[in-house]
Amino acid sequence: IVLNETPVIVPGASSAVEKRPDRVVISGDNAIVIDYKFGSANPAYRRQVQEYCDLYRRMGYGVVKGYVWYVREDRVEEV
């Protein structure tokens, strides 16, 4: 299953908070989160993808991996 910019409701939030990763690939209980960035590397991008990964773990996915793809540099960084 490939999800593109599909909103995720944050479990346990006091009000409706949703996150929207660029792409999530799901196979069984595995999830791969990919976020596309067009600027230079920034620690905030890694934190953002880590937050997305944590959400999928809280949703019950056993193995969750995250990546930032710096499109202009054609470079992928594992989170």
Side-chain angles (χ1 to χ4, degrees):
I1 298 171
V2 178
L3 305 172
N4 292 311
E5 295 192 26
T6 302
V8 177
I9 304 298
V10 177
S14 59
S15 61
V17 175
E18 78 178 35
K19 301 292 181 177
R20 194 179 299 257
D22 290 332
R23 178 168 288 187
V24 179
V25 180
I26 296 173
S27 178
D29 74 338
N30 300 322
I32 298 172
V33 177
I34 306 163
D35 215 49
Y36 310 115
K37 299 300 180 189
F38 294 89
S40 299
N42 184 323
Y45 298 153
R46 292 179 57 84
R47 285 191 301 271
Q48 180 183 29
V49 172
Q50 186 61 53
E51 183 178 336
Y52 294 154
C53 289
D54 290 344
L55 284 173
Y56 276 85
R57 285 186 192 96
R58 289 170 57 195
M59 291 171 20
Y61 289 91
V63 177
V64 181
K65 295 185 178 183
Y67 299 90
V68 179
W69 178 15
Y70 295 99
V71 177
R72 290 188 179 148
E73 299 174 10
D74 194 27
R75 182 171 63 89
V76 176
E77 184 177 285
E78 186 171 1
V79 174

